[in-house]
């Protein structure tokens, strides 16, 4: 992101093998309100840029125009967030001007940012010279980025009375199976970042669901991440409600949360299972599982955040734990590139988008309430997949394991490279 602005991505060819048949394309687009493919020529991009940015260094700000992101929030009540963060953090300014209302980060995002940029070198050298080890230096680098980003989004946080404008930072992925370690890490991050609009990200592993309750009870706002199944999502909601009730706070209005429900990765896994089954019925369901499950999750959200228990918390100022759609970029190039954004639009939700999804939605996304459309069809797809032998709970467990492993891998890889870099700096200093 450093020194650049979003660019529209050209359609990518399939990695291998022939493109799927027309029936598969139709199946993939079943929930999409528009079946237009993303076809924007390079010449067209040059003639009509989505976002134009003047020199941030000179303080000239951004040259912007109204985008679909503004319409998404103002017309439908969904908050568009950006799933990326790196230095210079001021590169977020044109995104904010064009309608982005929050930022999510994770260990993989920081691994890419720190390892591919020299923007962190100066601070890193200072930290190593001060005797910090690689992991301590990592957190110092991350915390600065989070604090700086929080400052940029603070006006949105203030304007919405704490309902929006959040920046998320994740606890160490090494703690994904450590209940108390996660609690302590969340408390520490909350304290050192020291910004009202920071979300501490905690994974929705079985071991960390109790952590969520305790952290919420301590008055700390949380982004619960890596949710892949409806069953685990319900446990996450219960942890949030339990935490609010256990907090003892008379004013709950500043304790908020989002539940990050992952979308595209679900199709990536289930599509492979369906292809292995190989029947026409199975193949016709490719590209439909993720959105179907997400719509069912939203129905659960509506149910859980209503009734006497919830109303008692509302009297103390409690705010709903918003559903946040994560993993919104399309992994299969045969699918519509807004497949995981367009069908999941609704009030009091968040969609966090990496560059690919963000660019596509700005260019040709459809702003319309879709989250509660075709719910009976979604339920039918969910059941049909079960009848074919798809175990939703096992799918969730596998994706959770893969997600945790991926974040751990990124975290460990970055720490190894930082250690090597730190040792080189120490050696050079002793020459």
């Amino acid at each position: 992101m450093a020194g650049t602005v979003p660019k529209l991505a050209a359609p990518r060819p399939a990695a291998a093998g022939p493109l799927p048949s027309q029936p598969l394309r139709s199946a993939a687009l079943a929930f999409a309100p528009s079946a237009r493919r993303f076809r924007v020529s390079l010449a067209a991009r040059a003639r009509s840029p989505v976002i134009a940015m003047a020199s941030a260094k000179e303080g000239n700000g951004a040259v912007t125009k109204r985008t679909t992101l503004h319409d998404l929030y103002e017309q439908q009540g969904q908050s568009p967030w950006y799933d990326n963060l790196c230095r210079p953090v001021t590169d977020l300014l044109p995104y904010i001007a064009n309608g982005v209302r929050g930022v999510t980060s994770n260990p993989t995002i920081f691994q890419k940012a720190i390892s591919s940029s020299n923007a962190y070198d100066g601070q890193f050298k200072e930290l190593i010279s001060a005797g910090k080890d690689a992991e301590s230096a990592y957190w110092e680098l991350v915390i600065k980025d989070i604090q700086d980003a929080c400052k940029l989004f603070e006006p949105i946080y203030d304007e919405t009375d704490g309902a929006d404008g959040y920046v998320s930072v994740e606890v160490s992925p090494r703690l994904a199976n450590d209940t108390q370690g996660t609690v302590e890490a969340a408390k520490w991050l909350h304290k050192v970042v020291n910004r009202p609009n920071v979300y501490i990200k905690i994974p929705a592993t079985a071991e960390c669901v109790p952590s969520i309750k305790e952290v919420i009870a301590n008055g700390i706002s949380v982004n619960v991440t890596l949710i892949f199944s409806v069953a685990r999502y319900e446990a996450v909601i219960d942890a949030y409600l339990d935490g609010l009730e256990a907090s003892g706070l008379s004013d709950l209005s500043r304790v908020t949360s989002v539940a990050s429900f992952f979308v595209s990765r679900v199709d990536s896994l289930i599509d492979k299972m369906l292809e292995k089954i190989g029947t026409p019925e199975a193949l016709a369901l490719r590209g439909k599982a993720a959105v179907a499950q997400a719509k069912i999750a939203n129905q659960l959200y509506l149910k859980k955040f209503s009734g006497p228990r919830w109303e008692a918390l509302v009297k103390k100022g409690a705010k709903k734990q918003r559903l946040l759609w994560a993993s919104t970029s399309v992994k299969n190039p045969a699918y519509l590139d807004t497949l995981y954004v367009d069908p999941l639009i609704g009030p009091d939700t968040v969609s966090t988008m990496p560059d690919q999804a963000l660019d596509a939605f700005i260019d040709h996304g459809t702003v319309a309430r879709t989250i509660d459309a075709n719910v009976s069809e979604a339920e039918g797809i969910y059941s049909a997949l079960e009848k074919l032998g798809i175990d939703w709970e096992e799918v969730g467990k596998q994706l959770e394991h893969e997600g945790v492993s991926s974040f751990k891998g990124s975290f460990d890889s970055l720490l190894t490279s930082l250690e090597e870099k730190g040792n080189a700096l120490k050696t050079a200093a002793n020459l």
Side-chain angles (χ1 to χ4, degrees):
M1 185 171 73
T4 64
V5 296
K7 292 183 174 63
L8 301 180
R12 293 171 296 150
L19 284 174
S21 63
Q22 186 59 38
L24 172 53
R25 289 174 182 269
S26 299
L29 307 182
F31 288 107
S34 168
R36 285 177 297 159
R37 295 289 295 155
F38 190 18
R39 301 189 185 281
V40 182
S41 69
L42 290 170
R45 294 184 220 171
R47 289 194 303 269
S48 180
V50 174
I51 298 177
M53 185 175 71
S55 170
K57 184 176 181 180
E58 295 175 1
N60 295 329
V63 180
T64 62
K65 65 178 182 180
R66 185 177 182 84
T67 75
T68 51
L69 300 183
H70 295 105
D71 296 337
L72 183 65
Y73 177 73
E74 293 169 14
Q75 296 177 15
Q76 299 301 331
Q78 182 172 81
S79 295
W81 289 7
Y82 183 41
D83 191 28
N84 197 15
L85 181 60
C86 70
R87 296 184 186 179
V89 174
T90 49
D91 277 357
L92 289 169
L93 289 172
Y95 290 81
I96 295 170
N98 283 274
V100 167
R101 304 180 62 80
V103 158
T104 48
S105 70
N106 60 49
T108 299
I109 284 173
F110 276 116
Q111 189 268 336
K112 291 177 181 176
I114 295 172
S115 64
S116 63
S117 170
N118 59 11
Y120 296 86
D121 290 355
Q123 186 187 1
F124 182 70
K125 289 177 182 177
E126 291 177 3
L127 293 167
I128 294 300
S129 297
K132 299 282 187 180
D133 60 27
E135 186 167 359
S136 298
Y138 165 83
W139 286 111
E140 294 275 359
L141 298 174
V142 167
I143 287 164
K144 176 169 172 48
D145 280 7
I146 296 297
Q147 289 175 327
D148 291 347
C150 282
K151 188 68 176 177
L152 295 182
F153 283 94
E154 197 169 327
I156 295 174
Y157 176 84
D158 292 338
E159 289 164 10
T160 59
D161 194 28
D164 219 349
Y166 286 91
V167 178
S168 298
V169 59
E170 191 159 345
V171 298
S172 169
R174 292 174 174 174
L175 299 172
N177 305 114
D178 183 343
T179 304
Q180 196 55 40
T182 293
V183 171
E184 297 307 317
K187 289 179 180 177
W188 176 78
L189 268 176
H190 175 73
K191 181 178 180 180
V192 296
V193 173
N194 192 29
R195 296 290 186 274
N197 56 327
V198 66
Y199 267 144
I200 308 302
K201 288 181 80 173
I202 295 175
T205 58
E207 294 86 351
C208 287
V209 168
S211 310
I212 296 161
K213 173 188 173 181
E214 187 169 342
V215 173
I216 291 292
N218 276 273
I220 297 171
S221 295
V222 174
N223 176 343
V224 184
T225 189
L226 296 177
I227 304 172
F228 295 99
S229 70
V230 175
R232 184 55 54 85
Y233 174 46
E234 184 165 17
V236 166
I237 296 175
D238 288 339
Y240 177 62
L241 297 176
D242 290 345
L244 290 176
E245 291 170 339
S247 69
L249 296 170
S250 57
D251 179 11
L252 296 172
S253 64
R254 293 298 172 185
V255 188
T256 68
S257 181
V258 291
S260 294
F261 202 99
F262 281 57
V263 192
S264 68
R265 294 189 196 182
V266 173
D267 273 347
S268 295
L269 177 56
I270 290 183
D271 280 1
K272 292 177 183 177
M273 295 177 171
L274 294 171
E275 287 165 4
K276 188 174 181 179
I277 295 170
T279 63
E281 181 186 7
L283 297 178
L285 289 171
R286 287 179 293 180
K288 291 187 174 184
V291 171
Q293 182 180 226
K295 286 177 177 283
I296 291 169
N298 185 68
Q299 292 300 302
L300 177 63
Y301 161 85
L302 295 173
K303 177 183 176 182
K304 299 287 283 190
F305 289 100
S306 63
R309 182 187 187 189
W310 176 242
E311 291 305 320
L313 289 168
V314 169
K315 289 177 182 178
K316 294 184 178 182
K319 295 176 179 175
K320 294 176 182 177
Q321 181 188 54
R322 290 188 294 173
L323 259 172
L324 180 153
W325 308 121
S327 183
T328 53
S329 62
V330 172
K331 306 297 190 291
N332 186 334
Y335 293 168
L336 184 73
D337 52 6
T338 57
L339 177 61
Y340 303 114
V341 182
D342 279 354
L344 299 176
I345 295 174
D348 300 320
T349 56
V350 179
S351 181
T352 189
M353 294 172 267
D355 287 293
Q356 177 203 40
L358 190 69
D359 295 343
F361 187 76
I362 288 174
D363 181 71
H364 54 270
T366 301
V367 178
R369 180 165 175 161
T370 52
I371 185 60
D372 42 17
N374 303 317
V375 172
S376 60
E377 183 180 352
E379 292 170 343
I381 291 168
Y382 193 91
S383 297
L385 288 163
E386 285 183 319
K387 290 176 182 176
L388 286 171
I390 303 297
D391 186 327
W392 285 97
E393 190 170 346
E394 286 303 313
V395 166
K397 287 179 180 178
Q398 181 175 335
L399 289 170
E400 177 188 294
H401 174 75
E402 291 173 359
V404 169
S405 297
S406 176
F407 285 165
K408 281 182 180 177
S410 296
F411 187 77
D412 292 343
S413 174
L414 179 56
L415 289 190
T416 297
S417 64
L418 288 178
E419 286 172 2
E420 293 171 353
K421 196 171 187 177
N423 290 334
L425 288 171
K426 291 175 184 176
T427 300
N430 293 329
L431 290 178

